[in-house]
Amino acid sequence: MRVYLFIAAIAGGATWLVTPIVRHVAIRIGAVGQVRSRDVHTVPTPRMGGVAMMIGFAVALLFASKVPFITGLFEASNQAWVILGGAVLICLLGVADDLWDLDWMLKLGGQLLISVVVSWGGVQIISLPLGSLVTASPSLSMAITAFLIVASINAVNFVDGLDGLASGIVAIGGIAFAIYSYIIARTSPSYASMATLIDVALVGICVGFILHNWHPAKLFMGDSGSMLLGYLITCASIIMTGRLDPVSIHTSIYLPVFMPILLPILVLFLPVLDMLLAVVRRVSHGQSPMHPDRMHLHHRMLKIGHSVQSAVLILWGWAALIAFGSIMILFFEAQYVAIGFAIACVALTIATLYPYYRRRIPEIRAENKALAAAKRRERAHREEQQSLTQPGQEHPQEPLQEGEQSHKGNDSIDDVIEPKEHQDHND
């Protein structure tokens, strides 16, 4: 375990040290992300952070190849160098996109080609837990491997919308998968595991980059980084699946047999969910699956009322719940895991919706108060109208009474004038 922690520290330290240099180069060559309508950042920020992570990963593998505990992994197989070569190609494809904003079809074709090359180099799924362990044919194995790599690459790319979000989610998934692969490796004569090595190096480069990428970010990972992370975490899971021998697996550990297939999906649950929702949403509107919009999960978190930091932390919490919840079922009884999972779900749900209700409750109270006041005014006006239209009221006769009073007043004047006229006539 100490060796793996040492490799993770080397990967993180190398990434942290190289990132400022990569940032300077990105500014010099014009790899700067301009502010677009769908973006959250408000200041043009350099990209190509994936190059720093790629360098950190390469340095970690080179150090690991010289460590006696892990050297046997490099001597027994060339998987590590195949993965490193594929990582370089994926990173270069991402750099090209960061510089020239490639068409999505061209980028997807490049991803598929690199995935096939890596699969042809020996990084393949050799067994599938479909009711029982089934050994896949070479062609089927290459096809499934390429599909999983391309899907994971784009899932992480879709979720990379806030500072530190993608790297944090992948780091959490890498920790969970490293724990699982380490436990599986302990059943073998040698504790060394290529899957664990890839995972700890992946976690290291993510942590090293987050130190520069936390909001407000000094450098974005860009497509060179998001595609690299999706590629590496999938390669680690594929290597773990490749370690399972269909003949040696006993039914007593049947559930762990499924985990190499299930765990990559679970650790990338949020990116995969976001990708599926985006594809369905865009296709239903007659748009390209790669058409950009502001309806991703992180955009929705900001609309609820979260800050960038709180949105990232809560999404990290959801990723950790799903990833580590799937691991805990291997160590604890299912009912206890379910109870803990439910409690954590309630807590995260409250944290997710708290800004919305904090803002909406005063608004709802003000709306209810205004509605009650309007109802009172309407009731008072209606009562006033009813009182005016009731029979027997004296108010409608007031004009007639005034006329009668004026007529009576004239009669009294005539009475006063008439005796004077009689007096003049007599004279």
Side-chain angles (χ1 to χ4, degrees):
M1 177 60 73
R2 289 193 297 267
V3 172
Y4 291 127
L5 294 177
F6 175 69
I7 297 300
I10 290 176
T15 303
W16 180 77
L17 290 173
V18 173
T19 297
I21 301 174
V22 173
R23 180 179 184 274
H24 178 72
V25 173
I27 295 174
R28 289 291 299 272
I29 66 178
V32 178
Q34 301 298 323
V35 180
R36 299 165 296 185
S37 58
R38 69 177 186 272
D39 290 331
V40 176
H41 66 281
T42 57
V43 178
T45 306
R47 296 182 285 192
M48 281 178 43
V51 175
M53 290 190 283
M54 178 65 249
I55 295 174
F57 180 76
V59 170
L61 281 191
L62 291 175
F63 267 90
S65 66
K66 305 301 180 181
V67 176
F69 174 70
I70 305 177
T71 303
L73 296 175
F74 293 85
E75 295 174 351
S77 172
N78 64 345
Q79 282 185 331
W81 307 121
V82 171
I83 291 174
L84 181 59
V88 172
L89 294 177
I90 283 289
C91 185
L92 290 177
L93 178 63
V95 169
D97 186 66
D98 291 337
L99 285 171
W100 301 301
D101 197 12
L102 302 178
D103 180 75
W104 72 271
M105 287 292 291
L106 178 61
K107 186 166 60 174
L108 186 63
Q111 296 169 359
L112 184 59
L113 178 61
I114 295 170
S115 301
V116 171
V117 171
V118 171
S119 177
W120 179 75
V123 182
Q124 298 181 11
I125 293 178
I126 63 173
S127 58
L128 302 173
L130 302 175
S132 61
L133 284 174
V134 178
T135 301
S137 64
S139 58
L140 180 60
S141 175
M142 290 182 63
I144 295 175
T145 301
F147 171 77
L148 289 176
I149 291 176
V150 172
S152 299
I153 286 172
N154 287 282
V156 177
N157 189 23
F158 273 45
V159 83
D160 180 29
L162 297 179
D163 299 338
L165 178 59
S167 52
I169 289 177
V170 173
I172 291 169
I175 293 172
F177 204 86
I179 294 172
Y180 175 71
S181 60
Y182 179 75
I183 293 172
I184 295 296
R186 293 185 64 179
T187 61
S188 62
S190 173
Y191 285 6
S193 168
M194 181 61 68
T196 308
L197 174 62
I198 299 299
D199 280 320
V200 296
L202 174 64
V203 172
I205 64 175
C206 288
V207 174
F209 184 73
I210 286 176
L211 299 177
H212 295 278
N213 187 236
W214 188 248
H215 184 77
K218 302 179 182 68
L219 177 71
F220 292 155
M221 68 171 62
D223 279 21
S224 59
S226 60
M227 293 196 300
L228 175 67
L229 297 183
Y231 165 81
L232 289 177
I233 195 169
T234 308
C235 285
S237 64
I238 291 172
I239 292 175
M240 186 68 251
T241 306
R243 288 177 57 87
L244 296 175
D245 184 3
V247 178
S248 62
I249 296 299
H250 192 269
T251 55
S252 62
I253 56 171
Y254 191 67
L255 180 60
V257 169
F258 280 97
M259 292 308 293
I261 298 295
L262 296 178
L263 194 56
I265 300 174
L266 295 174
V267 299
L268 292 178
F269 178 78
L270 285 182
V272 170
L273 176 63
D274 192 32
M275 181 182 67
L276 293 177
L277 291 176
V279 170
V280 172
R281 180 175 64 248
R282 294 165 184 176
V283 172
S284 63
H285 287 82
Q287 299 172 336
S288 165
M290 300 296 179
H291 182 77
D293 57 27
R294 289 182 60 88
M295 296 296 291
H296 290 286
L297 293 178
H298 50 272
H299 290 132
R300 297 175 186 270
M301 292 290 288
L302 297 179
K303 288 181 181 179
I304 288 175
H306 288 283
S307 64
V308 173
Q309 294 94 330
S310 65
V312 170
L313 290 175
I314 291 174
L315 290 174
W316 284 2
W318 283 109
L321 172 64
I322 298 170
F324 291 109
S326 60
I327 292 292
M328 291 299 104
I329 200 171
L330 302 176
F331 305 100
F332 304 99
E333 295 184 10
Q335 58 267 29
Y336 298 126
V337 175
I339 293 172
F341 190 88
I343 294 173
C345 277
V346 172
L348 284 172
T349 301
I350 294 173
T352 301
L353 298 178
Y354 174 71
Y356 173 77
Y357 286 109
R358 184 183 62 180
R359 184 182 71 251
R360 282 294 298 159
I361 288 177
E363 293 177 357
I364 292 173
R365 288 176 178 172
E367 291 172 1
N368 291 338
K369 186 181 295 184
L371 182 61
K375 288 181 177 180
R376 287 195 298 269
R377 289 193 299 268
E378 183 180 358
R379 188 182 305 111
H381 180 71
R382 186 167 55 249
E383 292 175 354
E384 182 180 358
Q385 292 295 328
Q386 290 176 353
S387 65
L388 292 175
T389 57
Q390 287 179 357
Q393 295 291 330
E394 297 181 356
H395 295 288
Q397 303 298 327
E398 287 180 357
L400 181 60
Q401 292 175 355
E402 291 178 358
E404 290 176 355
Q405 289 177 357
S406 62
H407 179 69
K408 290 179 180 179
N410 292 335
D411 290 344
S412 62
I413 294 175
D414 291 341
D415 293 339
V416 174
I417 296 175
E418 185 176 359
K420 185 176 181 181
E421 292 177 350
H422 286 293
Q423 183 178 2
D424 294 340
H425 178 70
N426 293 331
D427 291 339

